[in-house]
Amino acid sequence: MELLHKRILQDGKCFEGGILKVDSFINHQMDPTLMKSIAVEFVRRFAGTNVNKIMTIEASGIAPAIMTGYLLNLPVVFAKKKKPSTMDNMLHTQIHSFTKDRTYDVVISNDFLLPTDNVLFVDDFLAYGNAALGVIDLIKQSGANLVGMGFIIEKAFQEGRKMIEEHGVRVESLAIIEDLSNCTISIQK
Ligand code: 5GP
């Protein structure tokens, strides 16, 4: 996605340990026009599938997910990183965060993830794939069908795609970062 590639090269910043900071347009301040274009591209790539629900995980997945849900006129549900005291019927998994170096609990109500659902999962980053594996676990527990996973940015050198594809799940990433070493952002053409 040319527009996104240009923006990453223009405003993205790399940090030690293979971290790409895009907080001026995705992770902190957000660019709604770019976010809409991102959602249009997700809709294009998953056209012809039978998706009836968009799923994401808080917090940075919510913006692209809601834009995608809006365009498709579909409900959007997000997995929560803290269990609300009012949530009864919930599915639970654990995810290890490489950026924060900790393991956290993730929950989702099984009122909003049903065995009849065909789910498209949307998130900001695919790195080692731990968040994605947690999501695959939640979806498996719910009995829903996972149609595919769409990421704004994939860091190919951290190999999360391999883990997801081993579960037979389709992956679409709008920008694939091949390398961040020497603080040079290299994006797959
Ligand atoms: P994974 O579980 O695939 O290793 O990492 C997924 C999550 O970690 C993403 O949803 C994102 O929140 C965070 N993350 C991983 N790598 C990066 C990165 O380079 N930059 C930013 N901003 N977030 C990242």
Side-chain angles (χ1 to χ4, degrees):
M1 189 185 159
E2 198 51 38
L3 190 67
L4 176 63
H5 290 192
K6 276 193 184 145
R7 190 63 179 271
I8 292 170
L9 292 173
Q10 184 190 298
D11 293 332
K13 295 189 172 59
C14 43
F15 282 74
E16 287 290 308
I19 301 278
L20 178 65
K21 203 167 176 185
V22 287
D23 63 351
S24 65
F25 59 103
I26 292 177
N27 289 128
H28 193 166
Q29 175 171 265
M30 286 183 271
D31 178 340
T33 309
L34 177 68
M35 211 52 98
K36 185 195 163 200
S37 303
I38 284 167
V40 167
E41 183 61 16
F42 281 137
V43 170
R44 191 184 72 77
R45 294 200 188 194
F46 288 98
T49 62
N50 57 348
V51 172
N52 74 330
K53 189 166 285 181
I54 311 298
M55 178 180 171
T56 189
I57 183 162
E58 64 179 354
S60 294
I62 294 177
I66 199 134
M67 285 281 188
T68 308
Y70 177 75
L71 293 177
L72 292 170
N73 195 22
L74 292 175
V76 177
V77 63
F78 62 95
K80 291 176 177 257
K81 290 181 180 164
K82 261 193 193 143
K83 178 192 175 295
S85 56
T86 50
M87 196 189 277
D88 296 326
N89 303 324
M90 55 161 204
L91 307 169
H92 164 258
T93 197
Q94 285 196 319
I95 290 176
H96 181 75
S97 165
F98 130 91
T99 40
K100 297 193 176 106
D101 193 24
R102 69 181 181 91
T103 298
Y104 55 94
D105 295 302
V106 175
V107 297
I108 193 162
S109 165
N110 56 9
D111 293 340
F112 305 128
L113 207 50
L114 307 172
T116 48
D117 281 334
N118 290 302
V119 177
L120 170 60
F121 175 78
V122 167
D123 205 359
D124 60 342
F125 270 89
L126 171 61
Y128 292 98
N130 293 319
L133 287 190
V135 167
I136 290 171
D137 181 35
L138 290 174
I139 292 177
K140 206 173 262 173
Q141 290 180 48
S142 75
N145 171 44
L146 179 54
V147 172
M149 300 185 120
F151 299 91
I152 302 177
I153 301 173
E154 171 181 343
K155 293 185 291 182
F157 54 93
Q158 290 172 343
E159 301 194 340
R161 174 183 287 266
K162 196 166 156 255
M163 301 246 279
I164 301 173
E165 288 180 342
E166 274 168 11
H167 282 78
V169 177
R170 176 178 168 194
V171 180
E172 293 285 343
S173 304
L174 308 190
I176 300 180
I177 310 293
E178 283 176 335
D179 195 19
L180 282 178
S181 49
N182 304 318
C183 264
T184 306
I185 303 172
S186 157
I187 305 182
Q188 198 178 93
K189 293 263 180 268

